[in-house]
Amino acid sequence: MWEQLSGQMFFIGFFGLAAVWFGIVVFRTYSMVRSALALLFSQTALGAMFLSMQAEFLGVLQIMMMATEMSIMAIFMVMFMMDPGGLGKMEMTHQKRLSLGAGFVSFITAVVVAVFVDWGPVVSLAPDAGQQTVDLGLELLGRSMLIFETAGITILTAMIAATAVAIKPISRSNKHGS
Amino acid sequence: MLAAAVIPLTSGLIITDLATGALFINAALVYVLVALLMAGWGPDGAYAMVGGWRFLGQLIAYAMLIVMPITAVVMRAESLLTTQIVVSQADLWNIIYQPLGFVLFFVAAMALAFLPPFDLPTAQGELAGGVEAEYTGVRLAVFRLGRLVLIVTLATATVIFYLGGWQGPWLPPWAWSAIKILAVSVTMLLAGRTMPRIREEHLLAWCWKLGVPLALLNIFLVGILVLVFP
């Protein structure tokens, strides 16, 4: 069995376990910033899994995007929480039973989808990174365009709305400097 | 350091010519943000923490002005390969072809390296050193050395994206790379020395209200140029 374990399989497994472990750390810590950084490491490990699977563009993109996204998440948490700068302690889990139930159902659903969906034949040789980027570009600007544009605009709207909520309204008296 | 691995100094002098090189440079540079946030938050002190969060706000804004001008550069080269980007400038350097992109990228690079007048995370006058405030000795030396490496990396990226990389007459390619990188590094270090530090809210407002629309305009203009003069 060990002879069949290629370097690629080893790294996919290693980064997969790292992603799961850092995902657990997100809820085991008592700090918003530690939690955000753990989520960042988890997502970066996923990016490393993409790289291990020879999906270079997706891997680099995942590693790049997640650093910005998790940082944005951290800044939003600090904006909304009663914890100046994220220096204080905070319980990172809420509604534990509901969360556990939802997590379990999601896990089972993901496993069922992964095992029972017909994914088609496995590609024996991955196309080179340049070709993958071309294929991905055509996919994103073709049949998947509507999905991605919808997701992008939804996220942008949510961010603008959240920022608008966080801004303290300027009262008329303050506006005139009194 | 990771970004430097995909930046060519001559046509053959590159650690790894990744097919996603231009994207990889951006990916590596984004982790400066994470590093500075951790450095500011780690010491559990007010000044350092404020410096770290300032940089986060600053870089979320200026990361857009790094990636969007790179997009326009990649559009002209029709490749993410950094060597191909240099070759695409054989006839005309990008500083002439897309000057708006160059200005935006250069300013954003200075903000990314928190050089004056964008040195808000380490503001000596108001935050007593900010992110650096709690570090001394070897740790401070490593921090400052890392920043110098970052400046050289950004200067090298500017050279390959806008100044024709190793290309130039008479001198050998490595000499052109060295001269250009040195010139850009010195310009970055000296450009803001005599300017007053920009206020945080002004910095963010200029970026989001002026920089991002100009970067979109740059992509639009380069798109037209690429279509009209292929």
Side-chain angles (χ1 to χ4, degrees), chain A residues 5 30 32 93 95 124 154 168 174:
Chain A
L5 187 70
Y30 291 95
M32 285 194 300
T93 53
Q95 296 172 288
S124 56
T154 308
K168 190 179 176 187
N174 283 344

Side-chain angles (χ1 to χ4, degrees), chain A residues 3-15:
Chain A
E3 291 81 15
Q4 293 172 348
L5 187 70
S6 65
Q8 187 183 29
M9 289 297 291
F10 171 79
F11 281 111
I12 291 172
F14 176 78
F15 288 121

Side-chain angles (χ1 to χ4, degrees), chain A residues 76-93:
Chain A
F76 270 88
M77 285 198 299
V78 170
M79 275 200 299
F80 282 107
M81 298 291 176
M82 301 296 176
D83 180 8
L87 290 176
K89 277 193 167 185
M90 183 174 281
E91 175 69 50
M92 297 308 295
T93 53

Side-chain angles (χ1 to χ4, degrees), chain B residues 55-119:
Chain B
F55 190 66
L56 180 56
Q58 182 173 326
L59 197 61
I60 287 172
Y62 278 81
M64 288 293 110
L65 299 190
I66 294 279
V67 75
M68 286 161 88
I70 291 180
T71 306
V73 168
V74 168
M75 280 164 62
R76 187 187 177 200
E78 296 184 9
S79 173
L80 289 166
L81 285 166
T82 46
T83 46
Q84 191 60 40
I85 288 171
V86 174
V87 171
S88 74
Q89 301 172 64
D91 296 330
L92 188 65
W93 291 359
N94 275 334
I95 191 172
I96 311 290
Y97 191 88
Q98 34 189 310
L100 181 58
F102 170 74
V103 172
L104 292 170
F105 185 85
F106 190 78
V107 171
M110 286 184 67
L112 174 62
F114 47 104
L115 286 167
F118 308 109
D119 57 339

Side-chain angles (χ1 to χ4, degrees), chain A residues 31-59:
Chain A
S31 154
M32 285 194 300
V33 177
R34 282 202 181 98
S35 183
L37 288 173
L39 194 54
L40 165 62
F41 295 148
S42 176
Q43 298 294 326
T44 307
L46 279 182
M49 277 182 80
F50 280 130
L51 291 179
S52 305
M53 289 187 272
Q54 299 177 353
E56 187 181 308
F57 185 85
L58 285 177

Side-chain angles (χ1 to χ4, degrees), chain B residues 167-189:
Chain B
Q167 297 175 112
W170 307 307
L171 295 173
W174 62 265
W176 274 116
S177 283
I179 291 167
K180 289 176 187 177
I181 292 165
L182 195 65
V184 176
S185 304
V186 169
T187 311
M188 277 183 170
L189 287 166

Side-chain angles (χ1 to χ4, degrees), chain A residues 42-118:
Chain A
S42 176
Q43 298 294 326
T44 307
L46 279 182
M49 277 182 80
F50 280 130
L51 291 179
S52 305
M53 289 187 272
Q54 299 177 353
E56 187 181 308
F57 185 85
L58 285 177
V60 174
L61 192 69
Q62 168 87 1
I63 290 170
M64 181 187 82
M65 294 303 295
M66 284 305 139
T68 321
E69 287 177 14
M70 292 309 131
S71 307
I72 292 173
M73 193 188 74
I75 212 167
F76 270 88
M77 285 198 299
V78 170
M79 275 200 299
F80 282 107
M81 298 291 176
M82 301 296 176
D83 180 8
L87 290 176
K89 277 193 167 185
M90 183 174 281
E91 175 69 50
M92 297 308 295
T93 53
H94 308 282
Q95 296 172 288
K96 291 180 186 177
R97 281 185 186 171
L98 181 66
S99 308
L100 281 171
F104 183 73
V105 170
S106 305
F107 174 72
I108 296 296
T109 310
V111 170
V112 168
V113 169
V115 173
F116 291 104
V117 167
D118 180 19

